[in-house]
Amino acid sequence: MQANVTSGALPLTIAIDGPAAGGKTTVGAMLAKRLGYLCLDTGIMYRAVTWQALNEGLAPEDEPAVTLLAESIEIDVKPASKDDGRAFDVLIDSEDHTWDIRLPEVNQNVSLVSSYLGVRRAMTLQQRKIAARGRIVMLGRDIGTVVLPDADLKIYLDASLEVRARRRFEEENQHGTTITYAEILTSLRRRDEIDSSRQHAPLKIAEDAVVINTDALTAAQVVDKIISLFPHPLSPIP
Ligand code: CDP
């Protein structure tokens, strides 16, 4: 597969897609920092809609109500205001819900909520507006296929289910959660199944994406690999 990088110019829009816990967040943040680009993790937006729906007592199965909510919710990402392991603050209607959107009940319901066409339309609209400014690394499931089909560079980050579950287990452990490895494995498998088989914007590899399997790579190695795809490779970090 071929990257769609314009010859002689840095890619201004970089799409990174892939399954749950595939390392997009870490890699995307590192890459964006190295380039001085904005990193938008679109998973946050679907998580925010899901958390807010649950918080308002809506049934996640209530598609019309959840869609209305998605059309009016205000989601913002700001630099980290606390030193508690967060990479940034996630604000929902101006309130800090950075950790709430990672709760197990959000993990359980986010793929259902993300399968609704109206929810996807509302989120895609916001994502395209942000990307129009350029100099962006956007992370998700459908960025290269639907949100930014003309992205300058498309990456699909893959890893085996076991490696992904182990990484997520270690992350959860650091935050003191008591969830087991087996529970994480089951939850990731279920989410991948729903995300890949849904009717609207399913998780799939864009035709012109470069697939990178991260099983045996550190995040820094993945970033180097991505940068090596650029027409004029950046100089290595001193
Ligand atoms: O961080 P993790 O890999 O666990 O997932 P995430 O990127 O935070 O995404 C959470 C969920 O949002 C996914 O399982 C998808 O159901 C949904 N999602 C989506 O449908 N489309 C996107 N562009 C991003 C996330």
Side-chain angles (χ1 to χ4, degrees):
M1 273 177 275
Q2 262 300 304
N4 181 27
V5 182
T6 331
S7 138
L10 282 183
L12 283 182
T13 45
I14 304 177
I16 306 185
D17 291 299
K24 298 184 296 288
T25 313
T26 314
V27 166
M30 283 170 80
L31 178 66
K33 195 168 172 204
R34 186 110 174 247
L35 298 171
Y37 282 19
L38 180 76
C39 179
L40 178 67
D41 182 355
T42 61
I44 281 168
M45 301 172 77
Y46 292 95
R47 287 176 176 276
V49 173
T50 306
W51 182 81
Q52 184 66 9
L54 295 170
N55 186 47
E56 288 184 12
L58 302 179
E61 294 76 19
D62 187 346
E63 182 169 350
V66 174
T67 301
L68 264 184
L69 169 76
E71 286 165 352
S72 63
I73 193 170
E74 233 181 82
I75 306 162
D76 207 354
V77 181
K78 293 255 167 81
S81 63
K82 287 185 191 148
D83 187 15
D84 60 357
R86 65 181 64 193
F88 39 71
D89 287 4
V90 177
L91 307 180
I92 303 174
D93 296 331
S94 305
E95 280 180 25
D96 182 359
H97 293 292
T98 307
W99 293 118
D100 292 330
I101 65 164
R102 306 277 163 198
L103 287 169
E105 54 265 39
V106 173
N107 288 334
Q108 258 156 38
N109 291 292
V110 65
S111 286
L112 175 65
V113 166
S114 308
S115 71
Y116 299 148
L117 180 61
V119 170
R120 303 209 69 80
R121 278 199 177 134
M123 297 300 112
T124 299
L125 213 69
Q126 292 200 28
Q127 292 157 14
R128 285 187 182 145
K129 266 193 205 150
I130 297 169
R133 297 181 224 143
R135 298 171 62 84
I136 189 158
V137 178
M138 199 177 279
L139 321 173
R141 302 289 187 288
D142 59 339
I143 309 306
T145 51
V146 174
V147 179
L148 304 175
D150 297 325
D152 296 322
L153 179 61
K154 299 180 186 178
I155 305 290
Y156 187 93
L157 281 193
D158 216 350
S160 68
L161 180 63
E162 289 71 22
V163 167
R164 291 188 282 123
R166 185 168 42 75
R167 287 181 188 154
R168 186 52 52 95
F169 177 63
E170 281 159 13
E171 262 170 45
E172 294 283 350
N173 254 354
Q174 277 168 10
H175 293 133
T177 354
T178 53
I179 190 162
T180 66
Y181 171 82
E183 283 166 337
I184 291 180
L185 194 85
T186 307
S187 155
L188 293 184
R189 183 185 285 125
R190 186 175 154 273
R191 221 148 37 92
D192 284 352
E193 269 166 21
I194 304 178
D195 292 347
S196 309
S197 61
R198 69 181 174 217
Q199 191 187 348
H200 312 294
L203 169 68
K204 66 172 186 204
I205 306 173
E207 258 177 38
D208 48 354
V210 177
V211 180
I212 302 178
N213 185 298
T214 73
D215 272 358
L217 298 175
T218 64
Q221 286 170 326
V222 177
V223 171
D224 284 343
K225 230 178 169 64
I226 295 174
I227 287 175
S228 75
L229 299 167
F230 294 3
H232 292 303
L234 303 186
S235 39
I237 296 171

